[in-house]
């Protein structure tokens, strides 16, 4: 196993996934926000809502194109860079991916074209249905992708088949209704709604500060703040649900998030901040909140949460058990037809730990020849890098709280204070625009970097999952991706800014009676234009 | 769950082989015309407005069309994981070139007309031509390589090892027969794209499309015939020493394969498959005629038939093989040795049986709504929503 290939494959996947994930949350949320705006348009018949729908739709389109472009890369990377992974778990993992195409992406992609080109060809109602189909399609896409990802975090409904040397599906129902997948889905989709809401809120605030497109901006803030507040609250609640599931299923990830080296007596405290030191296995300058971790991780005050050191010991045990399974598997492999029942029984008894034995493949071809040091090393490998996960988690949670506060503030001001937003609040909302993306990327790091050294938790180590490629091929494609993506990113941002500056094409604000009625309440800056 | 035992493993494998064909043909018939028309862009459209007309014929539909490709990939992943794993990692750099085309195509469509600058526009036009022509060519090259066999082997724990260095693997694909297949594939999609433009445009653009499309159809006829002769005289086929168990575990290494003999032997064993190449020739010839002097819908219709025939002929000729290995024939992948488990195939079949007809129905509806020519007046109307 060439470690260079493993590291480069991981880097490439992380880069392309994080990049794809810049466009996904906005697509998820904006498709719904636009459908809501168009619904108001169809119900009230007021042109301003049509203008809003079209304006945000233009920005949606620019973003959507990038989402599609980078999404295609994701699907094909599994086969290109992770071919042993694809062979090993394709029987289970391929299904939700194909279903995403079949049920969701086809819907979204077929109707997104009609949505843009169909304004004059469809009745208002039919066009609205198309808008909702696009929104439903993009949200269903997320569902299937997260079912696939959820299975990697918590592999259920599958077992190893020694004859085909791969995992095979035993229950599609379990894969689909995997609790981890469901919690991740709602968490991620809500995060997308927050992203779009903060984006709409920020851009609209900028218009208000500039005194332009007031009617559009004010109504957009109304929609974005109320929708955004509901979404921001659900992100936190469902993030907590995700934390609980992690506590049940990925104890090492939870311990890393918490930088909890030793098992604490229940209920464990939550470390607010601190500096995790992986070498010394301690967290310096830690500030604790008593009981909180116990509540998040176990929903009780009496259950213990195991620390990293204890989990490492358990991993060593599982490696030894996995070696028994591996030995039996090799016997089965040698004589496929006439293996005696005892060997098969031994294999089945230990097959849950087979993945742990595969951790040793990083060091030697036949894990059965591993020395005690190598076993200890492989057990230590099960500890992810703590500090990035620890900090990514805290940044994500902190930003989440900030989104609740911001959308809450705008919601209250819109509903009860007649929309008299002070300048500082508008400026803050503009500055906040990039924050949801930071939070989303941090979330990805916690979930995926925190899963290492596994591609499929406890089943298949990352180091074993790669394709038999050369470093040259990987460096070449890595450089090309980096170049393409940088160029496209610059173009995308420029175009978005151009269209935001330009504003809606047909400005209907002066003909709209809403302004006339509410003009008295507008600030002097707004009335000026 | 015992529901899946309604259909035997053997039948399911066969059905999935057919579905794979449906998806790949669906991709060629829908996104194929987008790629062909994009490749034709500078030839059929001279002015900026003409180019916008061509781009807007595809504007509302290419996104949906491209999903056939994505779904094809997803279906190979779900139903034939070994094929997915070995072909995409084996054709690594070639796949990367195709991916680059697919990365740039959406943005080229979306971004091209968003600025007035002619330099900006011509740059994106070039990107569109690349994004249409390159995949069309490379898919054909890939098919040619599949028929020739590719150099890979499987280790006992089914790691796929593809022989050759980074560039050896890429340029090794460019064997003469494979290049011929690439040319046929490119010409086929150009013909198809021309058929689309005849239907969706008028005047000078449509006339040029007829001209270039009919030339492409002649290339297809000649190239396809040549490939057939080449197969008969110069290319070795693959065969099982003893037929594999159609319901056995998906492990290619359990069966022995020999390299030698002729692919055309398949026409002796299953004479009815001759219908596929016949349809390929008839459809293409009729498309040529219709492009020269036919109605507006007939060129696209006939070229669909031709493409259907040609792609089917490849699948039927090499059946049951999917991806043979010319260095280690025993590692060759076939319908009987490289699928997902019985249960996965069943679950996926149920989903496909429900959703594929729905997809076809709503796609048809969208095309109906968008029916009609794209004109210069439409794209220059400031109130329009065109690219």
């Amino acid at each position: 196993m060439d470690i260079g290939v493993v590291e480069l494959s991981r880097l490439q996947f992380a880069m392309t996934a994080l990049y794809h994930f810049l466009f996904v949350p906005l697509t998820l949320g904006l498709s719904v926000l636009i459908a809501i705006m168009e619904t108001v348009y169809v119900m009230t018949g007021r042109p301003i809502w049509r203008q809003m729908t079209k304006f945000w739709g233009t920005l949606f389109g620019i973003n959507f194109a990038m989402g599609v472009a980078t999404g295609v890369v994701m699907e094909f990377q599994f086969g290109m860079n992770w071919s042993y992974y694809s062979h090993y778990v394709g029987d289970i993992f391929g299904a939700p991916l194909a279903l995403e195409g079949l049920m969701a992406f086809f819907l979204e992609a077929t109707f997104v074209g009609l949505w843009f080109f169909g304004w004059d060809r469809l009745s208002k109602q039919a066009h609205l249905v198309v808008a909702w189909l696009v929104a439903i399609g993009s949200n269903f896409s997320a569902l299937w992708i997260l079912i696939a990802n959820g299975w990697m975090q918590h592999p259920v409904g599958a077992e190893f088949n020694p004859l085909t040397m791969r995992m095979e599906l035993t229950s599609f129902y379990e894969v689909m209704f995997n609790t981890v997948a469901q919690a991740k889905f709602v968490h991620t989709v809500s995060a997308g709604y927050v992203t779009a809401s903060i984006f709409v809120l920020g851009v609209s605030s900028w218009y208000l500060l500039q005194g332009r497109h007031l009617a559009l901006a004010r109504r957009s803030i109304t929609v974005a703040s109320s929708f955004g507040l509901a979404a921001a609250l659900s992100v936190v609640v469902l993030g907590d649900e995700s934390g609980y599931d992690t506590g049940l299923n990925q104890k090492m990830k939870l311990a890393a998030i918490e930088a909890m080296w030793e098992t604490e007596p229940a209920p464990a405290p939550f470390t607010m901040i601190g500096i995790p030191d992986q070498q010394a296995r301690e967290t310096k300058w830690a500030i604790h909140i008593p009981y909180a971790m116990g509540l998040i991780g176990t929903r009780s005050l009496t259950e213990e949460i195991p620390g990293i050191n204890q989990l490492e010991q358990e991993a060593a045990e599982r490696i030894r058990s996995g070696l028994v399974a591996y030995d039996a598997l090799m016997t089965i492999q040698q004589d496929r037809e006439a293996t005696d029942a005892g060997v098969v029984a031994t294999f089945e008894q230990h097959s849950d730990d087979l993945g742990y034995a595969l951790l040793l493949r990083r060091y030697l071809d036949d894990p059965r020849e591993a020395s005690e040091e190598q076993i200890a090393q492989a057990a230590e490998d099960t500890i992810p890098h703590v500090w990035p996960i620890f900090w990514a988690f805290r940044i994500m949670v902190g930003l989440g709280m900030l989104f609740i506060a911001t959308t809450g503030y705008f919601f209250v001001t819109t509903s009860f204070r007649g929309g008299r937003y002070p300048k500082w609040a508008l400026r803050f909302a503009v500055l906040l625009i990039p924050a949801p993306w930071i939070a989303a990327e941090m979330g990805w790091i916690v979930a995926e970097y925190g899963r290492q050294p596994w591609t499929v938790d406890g089943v298949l180590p990352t180091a074993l999952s790669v394709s038999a490629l050369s470093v040259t091929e990987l460096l070449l494609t890595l450089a090309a991706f980096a170049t393409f993506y940088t160029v496209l990113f610059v173009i995308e941002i420029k175009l978005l800014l151009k269209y935001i500056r330009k504003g809606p094409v047909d400005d209907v604000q002066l003909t709209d009676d809403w302004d006339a009625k509410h003009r008295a309440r507008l600030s002097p800056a707004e009335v000026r234009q | 769950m015992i529901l899946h035992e309604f259909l035997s493993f053997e039948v399911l494998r066969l059905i999935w082989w057919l579905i794979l064909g449906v998806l790949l043909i669906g991709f060629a018939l829908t996104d194929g015309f987008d790629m062909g028309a994009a490749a034709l862009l500078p030839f059929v459209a001279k002015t900026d407005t003409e180019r916008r007309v061509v781009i807007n014929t595809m504007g509302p539909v290419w996104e949906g069309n491209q999903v056939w490709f994505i779904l094809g990939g997803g279906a190979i992943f779900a139903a034939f994981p070994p094929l997915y794993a070995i072909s995409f990692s084996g054709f690594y750099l070639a796949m990367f070139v195709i991916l680059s085309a697919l990365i740039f195509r959406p943005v080229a469509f979306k971004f091209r007309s968003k600025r007035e600058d002619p330099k900006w526009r011509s740059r994106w036009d070039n990107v569109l031509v690349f994004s249409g022509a390159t995949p069309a060519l490379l898919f054909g090259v890939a098919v040619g390589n599949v028929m020739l066999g590719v150099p890979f082997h499987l280790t006992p724990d089914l790691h796929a090892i593809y022989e050759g260095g980074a560039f050896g693997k890429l340029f090794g694909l460019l064997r003469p027969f494979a290049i011929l297949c690439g040319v046929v594939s490119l010409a086929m999609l150009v013909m198809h794209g021309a058929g689309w433009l005849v239907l969706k445009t008028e005047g000078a653009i449509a006339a040029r499309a007829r001209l270039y499309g009919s030339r492409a159809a002649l290339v297809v006829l000649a190239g396809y015939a040549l490939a057939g002769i080449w197969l008969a005289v110069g290319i070795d086929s693959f065969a099982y020493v003893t037929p594999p168990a159609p319901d056995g575990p998906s492990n290619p290494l359990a069966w022995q394969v020999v390299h030698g003999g002729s692919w055309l032997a398949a026409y002796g064993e299953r004479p009815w498959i001759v219908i596929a190449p016949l349809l390929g020739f008839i459809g293409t010839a009729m498309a040529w005629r219709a492009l020269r002097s036919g109605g507006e819908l007939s060129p696209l219709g006939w070229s669909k038939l031709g493409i259907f025939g040609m792609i089917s002929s490849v699948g039927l000729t090499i059946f049951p093989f999917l991806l043979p290995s010319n260095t280690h024939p025993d590692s060759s992948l076939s319908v009987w040795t490289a699928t997902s488990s019985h249960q996965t195939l069943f679950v996926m079949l149920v989903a496909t049986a429900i959703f594929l007809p729905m997809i076809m129905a709503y796609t048809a509806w969208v095309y109906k709504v968008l029916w009609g020519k794209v004109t210069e007046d439409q794209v220059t109307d400031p109130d329009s929503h065109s690219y």
Side-chain angles (χ1 to χ4, degrees):
Chain A
M1 199 93 4
D2 191 338
I3 293 303
V5 169
V6 176
E7 300 310 322
L8 287 169
S9 300
R10 285 182 60 192
L11 185 60
Q12 183 160 327
F13 194 86
M15 191 182 86
T16 49
L18 284 169
Y19 190 71
H20 178 55
F21 210 50
L22 289 175
F23 310 103
V24 173
L26 189 61
T27 299
L28 281 175
L30 216 45
S31 62
V32 177
L33 276 175
I34 289 169
I36 291 174
M37 291 177 190
E38 195 172 340
T39 306
V40 178
Y41 166 60
V42 171
M43 285 168 68
T44 63
R46 292 163 68 177
I48 178 75
W49 287 93
R50 176 177 153 117
Q51 183 199 53
M52 284 162 67
T53 309
K54 282 192 170 182
F55 170 69
W56 296 111
T58 307
L59 302 183
F60 172 79
I62 296 170
N63 178 69
F64 187 82
M66 290 291 287
V68 173
T70 54
V72 179
V73 175
M74 298 314 301
E75 180 183 346
F76 291 96
Q77 276 214 332
F78 292 111
M80 289 168 66
N81 288 1
W82 302 94
S83 90
Y84 198 60
Y85 168 86
S86 300
H87 152 74
Y88 207 84
V89 300
D91 196 70
I92 307 112
F93 187 82
L97 226 58
L99 286 169
E100 191 244 355
L102 206 55
M103 285 180 65
F105 196 53
F106 241 118
L107 195 69
E108 182 185 11
T110 306
F111 285 109
V112 81
L114 190 61
W115 190 82
F116 281 104
F117 286 80
W119 281 102
D120 308 321
R121 289 175 180 259
L122 292 167
S123 71
K124 268 189 198 174
Q125 288 76 14
H127 196 269
L128 176 65
V129 171
V130 170
W132 278 108
L133 288 176
V134 173
I136 291 168
S138 65
N139 280 269
F140 260 111
S141 266
L143 175 66
W144 286 109
I145 294 303
L146 288 164
I147 285 175
N149 179 271
W151 187 81
M152 297 167 81
Q153 312 281 352
H154 179 43
V156 287
E159 68 183 19
F160 187 82
N161 180 348
L163 295 179
T164 55
M165 283 301 286
R166 66 180 185 193
M167 300 294 288
E168 290 185 356
L169 186 69
T170 55
S171 163
F172 187 67
Y173 180 87
E174 278 180 51
V175 172
M176 219 165 102
F177 293 97
N178 183 351
T179 48
V180 174
Q182 299 301 329
K184 274 172 98 58
F185 166 63
V186 198
H187 181 62
T188 309
V189 165
S190 314
Y193 298 166
V194 173
T195 306
S197 300
I198 298 283
F199 177 74
V200 171
L201 195 66
V203 173
S204 305
S205 296
W206 187 70
Y207 284 150
L208 289 188
L209 284 169
Q210 296 242 314
R212 300 164 57 194
H213 317 303
L214 304 181
L216 175 138
R218 294 190 154 268
R219 283 172 181 79
S220 298
I221 289 181
T222 308
V223 177
S225 64
S226 41
F227 185 66
L229 178 61
L233 287 170
S234 96
V235 174
V236 172
V237 173
L238 291 148
D240 169 66
E241 183 64 31
S242 246
Y244 177 60
D245 282 325
T246 309
L248 290 180
N249 304 307
Q250 289 176 292
K251 295 189 162 61
M252 185 63 95
K253 189 197 277 182
L254 187 70
I257 287 172
E258 179 47 6
M260 194 166 81
W261 305 98
E262 295 296 336
T263 306
E264 302 269 348
F270 177 79
T271 310
M272 266 275 278
I273 49 169
I275 310 287
D277 180 344
Q278 191 129 2
Q279 290 262 292
R281 300 211 174 187
E282 60 182 28
T283 305
K284 290 178 187 140
W285 300 301
I287 301 170
H288 299 286
I289 307 175
Y291 301 160
M293 198 61 217
L295 286 171
I296 296 170
T298 67
R299 300 273 154 84
S300 82
L301 293 171
T302 51
E303 274 177 66
E304 263 187 0
I305 297 179
I308 290 171
N309 295 336
Q310 183 188 331
L311 290 168
E312 185 189 7
Q313 294 307 313
E314 287 170 15
E317 287 312 306
R318 294 192 71 178
I319 291 172
R320 290 195 179 86
S321 158
L323 287 172
V324 178
Y326 190 86
D327 187 47
L329 176 63
M330 290 300 116
T331 312
I332 296 172
Q333 277 287 303
Q334 266 158 19
D335 191 3
R336 288 193 191 113
E337 267 90 61
T339 306
D340 84 271
V343 176
V344 175
T346 308
F347 175 76
E348 278 168 8
Q349 204 186 335
H350 292 272
S351 66
D352 281 351
D353 294 326
L354 179 65
Y356 280 82
L358 297 180
L359 285 168
L360 288 160
R361 286 288 301 269
R362 200 176 148 186
Y363 302 104
L364 68 178
D365 280 338
D366 189 346
R368 288 171 295 184
E369 290 161 10
S371 65
E372 274 307 305
E373 285 106 89
Q374 282 167 325
I375 291 177
Q377 182 63 50
E380 198 188 328
D381 288 346
T382 60
I383 307 171
H385 285 290
V386 173
W387 79 261
I389 298 161
F390 179 88
W391 277 105
F393 180 78
R394 274 149 193 79
I395 294 171
M396 174 181 80
V397 172
L399 288 173
M401 299 298 165
L402 197 59
F403 301 144
I404 294 181
T406 311
T407 49
Y409 174 82
F410 274 88
F411 179 70
V412 169
T413 312
T414 307
S415 315
F416 305 111
R417 304 193 48 232
R420 273 186 286 264
Y421 314 109
K423 274 213 166 121
W424 64 263
L426 296 175
R427 282 196 193 117
F428 182 75
V430 177
L431 290 177
L432 200 64
I433 292 176
W437 278 276
I438 298 172
E441 303 279 287
M442 291 298 148
W444 189 90
I445 290 172
V446 172
E448 308 307 315
Y449 197 59
R451 168 161 52 84
Q452 298 305 326
W454 304 103
T455 39
V456 180
D457 195 66
V459 169
L460 184 67
T462 309
L464 202 61
S465 308
V466 291
S467 303
L469 295 171
S470 63
V471 171
T472 320
E473 283 164 296
L474 283 160
L475 282 177
L476 209 66
T477 51
L478 192 64
F481 273 126
T483 317
F484 294 172
Y485 279 6
T486 311
V487 172
L488 290 179
F489 187 72
V490 172
I491 296 175
E492 145 111 4
I493 295 287
K494 274 190 173 167
L495 278 178
L496 278 178
L497 289 179
K498 177 184 160 185
Y499 277 84
I500 289 170
R501 249 183 239 120
K502 196 170 152 201
V505 206
D506 42 343
D507 209 324
V508 295
Q509 96 177 21
L510 294 176
T511 60
D512 196 277
D513 58 354
W514 189 92
D515 255 23
K517 225 184 285 171
H518 294 79
R519 220 161 170 75
R521 287 209 303 223
L522 302 179
S523 71
E526 290 167 338
V527 177
R528 201 170 49 221
Q529 70 112 45
Chain B
M1 182 146 122
I2 46 157
L3 210 58
H4 62 277
E5 282 162 18
F6 276 131
L7 287 169
S8 74
F9 202 8
E10 176 179 5
V11 170
L12 272 171
R13 282 172 157 163
L14 206 55
I15 291 175
W16 268 100
W17 177 78
L18 286 170
I19 293 177
L20 181 62
V22 169
L23 293 175
L24 294 183
I25 292 170
F27 166 59
L29 295 188
T30 56
D31 211 21
F33 69 66
D34 295 328
M35 292 185 169
L40 277 172
L41 183 65
F43 302 98
V44 296
K46 302 295 179 191
T47 66
D48 182 56
T49 315
E50 284 181 351
R51 293 196 176 180
R52 287 184 62 201
V53 169
V54 172
I55 289 166
N56 279 294
T57 63
M58 302 172 253
V61 293
W62 71 269
E63 238 153 359
N65 291 342
Q66 183 176 271
V67 185
W68 286 96
F69 178 64
I70 294 170
L71 192 58
I76 296 177
F77 198 174
F80 303 97
L83 176 62
Y84 178 79
I86 296 170
S87 60
F88 289 2
S89 64
F91 298 152
Y92 188 73
L93 287 180
M95 269 308 295
F96 180 77
V97 176
I98 291 175
L99 269 187
S100 325
L102 295 179
I103 293 170
F104 278 106
R105 193 163 69 135
V107 267
F109 270 117
K110 207 78 198 178
F111 291 179
R112 179 205 183 267
S113 300
K114 292 242 185 292
R115 278 178 56 184
E116 297 291 341
D117 182 7
K119 254 199 226 146
W120 166 273
R121 290 190 172 186
S122 85
R123 216 174 288 149
W124 285 117
D125 287 345
N126 292 338
V127 172
L128 273 175
V129 175
F130 163 78
S131 76
T134 316
L137 184 76
L138 287 181
F139 286 133
V141 171
V143 169
N145 274 286
V146 167
M147 300 192 88
L148 291 164
V150 289
F152 74 93
H153 70 271
L154 295 167
T155 65
D157 51 1
L158 301 184
H159 269 282
I161 315 286
Y162 206 93
E163 278 116 78
F167 299 104
K169 282 195 293 189
L170 177 64
F171 297 112
L173 297 176
L174 301 177
R175 291 178 276 179
F177 177 75
I179 292 176
L180 173 66
C181 293
V183 171
V184 172
S185 160
L186 175 60
M188 174 177 103
L189 296 190
V190 165
M191 163 184 85
H192 198 48
W196 170 251
L197 290 175
V198 168
L199 178 66
K200 294 296 283 186
T201 63
E202 52 191 16
I205 304 176
R208 292 183 203 123
R210 283 184 187 276
L211 175 69
Y212 290 105
S214 54
R215 285 182 190 169
L218 290 179
V219 175
V220 176
L221 283 174
Y224 188 56
L226 183 60
I229 296 167
W230 203 329
L231 271 187
V233 299
I235 289 166
D236 285 342
S237 72
F238 294 81
Y240 277 108
V241 176
T242 48
D247 56 352
S250 289
N251 191 335
L253 295 179
W255 312 95
Q256 253 191 311
V257 173
V258 287
H259 189 194
S262 168
W263 282 122
L264 297 188
Y267 291 83
E269 290 160 27
R270 308 182 284 272
W272 62 271
I273 63 174
V274 77
I275 193 165
L278 278 181
L279 288 180
F281 279 116
I282 294 170
T284 309
M286 293 300 286
W288 172 74
R289 239 185 69 157
L291 278 165
R292 302 240 328 161
S293 59
E296 290 173 345
L297 191 54
S298 54
L300 192 68
W302 285 117
S303 97
K304 278 185 181 173
L305 185 72
I307 292 173
F308 172 79
M310 285 184 276
I311 297 181
S312 313
S313 72
V314 176
L316 289 168
T317 303
I318 68 170
F319 182 86
F321 286 98
L322 297 168
L323 187 70
S325 162
N326 58 359
T327 52
H328 298 72
D330 287 353
S331 291
S332 298
L333 306 184
S334 79
V335 179
W336 311 126
T337 63
T339 65
S340 284
S341 63
H342 195 162
Q343 179 154 181
T344 299
L345 290 184
F346 183 77
V347 171
M348 292 302 300
L349 178 63
V350 171
T352 308
I354 297 171
F355 287 100
L356 203 58
M358 282 171 65
I359 291 168
M360 289 181 174
Y362 65 61
T363 304
W365 180 73
V366 169
Y367 277 87
K368 192 175 151 248
V369 171
L370 296 165
W371 193 255
K373 303 247 182 217
V374 177
T375 61
E376 300 206 0
D377 292 345
Q378 272 173 33
V379 298
T380 46
D381 174 7
D383 205 30
S384 81
H385 306 282
S386 357
Y387 290 143

